[in-house]
Short mmCIF file of all heavy atoms in Angstrom, two decimals:
data_model
loop_
_atom_site.label_atom_id
_atom_site.label_comp_id
_atom_site.label_asym_id
_atom_site.label_seq_id
_atom_site.Cartn_x
_atom_site.Cartn_y
_atom_site.Cartn_z
N TRP A 819 -20.01 35.93 -16.81
CA TRP A 819 -19.54 34.80 -16.01
C TRP A 819 -20.23 34.68 -14.65
O TRP A 819 -20.41 33.57 -14.07
CB TRP A 819 -18.07 34.85 -15.78
CG TRP A 819 -17.57 36.10 -15.03
CD1 TRP A 819 -17.20 37.23 -15.55
CD2 TRP A 819 -17.50 36.20 -13.62
NE1 TRP A 819 -16.90 38.12 -14.61
CE2 TRP A 819 -17.04 37.53 -13.39
CE3 TRP A 819 -17.77 35.39 -12.55
CZ2 TRP A 819 -16.85 37.98 -12.06
CZ3 TRP A 819 -17.60 35.83 -11.25
CH2 TRP A 819 -17.05 37.13 -11.05
N ARG A 832 -32.36 26.69 -24.91
CA ARG A 832 -31.51 26.03 -25.92
C ARG A 832 -31.86 24.54 -26.15
O ARG A 832 -31.69 24.03 -27.24
CB ARG A 832 -30.04 26.12 -25.49
CG ARG A 832 -29.51 27.54 -25.50
CD ARG A 832 -28.07 27.61 -25.30
NE ARG A 832 -27.46 28.97 -25.37
CZ ARG A 832 -26.26 29.29 -25.19
NH1 ARG A 832 -25.30 28.31 -24.99
NH2 ARG A 832 -25.89 30.55 -25.25
N VAL A 845 -32.93 10.39 -27.97
CA VAL A 845 -31.75 10.64 -28.75
C VAL A 845 -30.75 11.59 -28.10
O VAL A 845 -29.54 11.25 -28.08
CB VAL A 845 -32.11 11.07 -30.22
CG1 VAL A 845 -30.86 11.49 -30.97
CG2 VAL A 845 -32.88 10.03 -30.93
N ASP A 876 11.07 4.42 -19.66
CA ASP A 876 11.56 4.22 -20.94
C ASP A 876 11.98 5.62 -21.60
O ASP A 876 11.88 5.69 -22.86
CB ASP A 876 10.54 3.53 -21.86
CG ASP A 876 9.21 4.29 -21.93
OD1 ASP A 876 8.99 5.21 -21.07
OD2 ASP A 876 8.39 3.96 -22.78
N THR A 884 13.52 15.42 -27.01
CA THR A 884 13.27 15.52 -25.57
C THR A 884 14.43 15.06 -24.71
O THR A 884 14.44 15.37 -23.49
CB THR A 884 12.02 14.64 -25.17
OG1 THR A 884 12.30 13.25 -25.45
CG2 THR A 884 10.79 15.06 -26.01
N GLY A 907 24.95 14.67 5.90
CA GLY A 907 26.30 14.30 6.46
C GLY A 907 26.82 15.26 7.46
O GLY A 907 27.32 14.87 8.57
N ASP A 919 23.52 20.64 20.90
CA ASP A 919 22.20 20.35 21.51
C ASP A 919 21.62 19.10 20.83
O ASP A 919 21.45 19.05 19.63
CB ASP A 919 21.24 21.54 21.27
CG ASP A 919 19.92 21.32 21.94
OD1 ASP A 919 19.67 20.25 22.50
OD2 ASP A 919 19.08 22.26 21.88
N ALA A 923 20.16 18.99 17.05
CA ALA A 923 20.99 18.23 16.07
C ALA A 923 20.06 17.09 15.43
O ALA A 923 20.10 16.91 14.23
CB ALA A 923 22.19 17.56 16.68
N ALA A 930 16.85 17.30 7.13
CA ALA A 930 17.70 17.07 5.98
C ALA A 930 17.37 15.71 5.31
O ALA A 930 17.34 15.62 4.07
CB ALA A 930 19.18 17.13 6.38
N ARG A 933 14.10 16.18 3.39
CA ARG A 933 14.28 16.90 2.17
C ARG A 933 15.09 16.02 1.14
O ARG A 933 14.74 16.10 -0.10
CB ARG A 933 15.03 18.19 2.39
CG ARG A 933 14.30 19.20 3.26
CD ARG A 933 13.00 19.59 2.65
NE ARG A 933 13.22 20.32 1.39
CZ ARG A 933 13.35 21.62 1.27
NH1 ARG A 933 13.32 22.40 2.35
NH2 ARG A 933 13.59 22.19 0.08
N LEU A 976 2.87 -15.00 -8.99
CA LEU A 976 2.05 -16.22 -9.01
C LEU A 976 2.28 -17.04 -7.78
O LEU A 976 1.47 -17.96 -7.47
CB LEU A 976 2.43 -17.10 -10.19
CG LEU A 976 2.19 -16.46 -11.60
CD1 LEU A 976 2.67 -17.43 -12.74
CD2 LEU A 976 0.71 -16.17 -11.82
N MET A 993 -2.68 4.20 -8.17
CA MET A 993 -1.85 4.96 -9.12
C MET A 993 -2.57 5.30 -10.39
O MET A 993 -2.52 6.42 -10.89
CB MET A 993 -0.56 4.15 -9.48
CG MET A 993 0.41 4.00 -8.32
SD MET A 993 1.82 2.93 -8.79
CE MET A 993 2.48 3.79 -10.17
N VAL A 1012 -13.65 28.60 -21.95
CA VAL A 1012 -14.98 29.25 -22.28
C VAL A 1012 -15.58 30.06 -21.11
O VAL A 1012 -16.50 30.78 -21.28
CB VAL A 1012 -16.01 28.17 -22.76
CG1 VAL A 1012 -15.51 27.47 -24.10
CG2 VAL A 1012 -16.28 27.18 -21.67
N THR A 1026 -4.27 17.83 -7.17
CA THR A 1026 -4.73 16.67 -6.34
C THR A 1026 -4.35 15.37 -6.92
O THR A 1026 -3.88 14.50 -6.21
CB THR A 1026 -6.25 16.73 -6.17
OG1 THR A 1026 -6.66 17.97 -5.61
CG2 THR A 1026 -6.78 15.60 -5.29
N GLU A 1079 17.29 -16.86 -17.96
CA GLU A 1079 17.93 -17.58 -19.03
C GLU A 1079 17.88 -19.11 -18.90
O GLU A 1079 18.32 -19.90 -19.76
CB GLU A 1079 19.38 -17.18 -19.15
CG GLU A 1079 19.60 -15.70 -19.31
CD GLU A 1079 21.05 -15.22 -19.18
OE1 GLU A 1079 21.87 -16.13 -18.98
OE2 GLU A 1079 21.29 -14.04 -19.35
N THR A 1084 24.33 -23.54 -9.29
CA THR A 1084 25.52 -24.27 -8.99
C THR A 1084 25.16 -25.37 -7.94
O THR A 1084 24.21 -25.20 -7.14
CB THR A 1084 26.62 -23.40 -8.44
OG1 THR A 1084 26.11 -22.71 -7.29
CG2 THR A 1084 26.99 -22.37 -9.54
#
Side-chain angles (χ1 to χ4, degrees):
W819 59 270
R832 292 187 178 184
V845 170
D876 57 344
T884 64
D919 185 355
R933 296 298 298 270
L976 299 176
M993 290 175 60
V1012 298
T1026 302
E1079 304 172 359
T1084 57

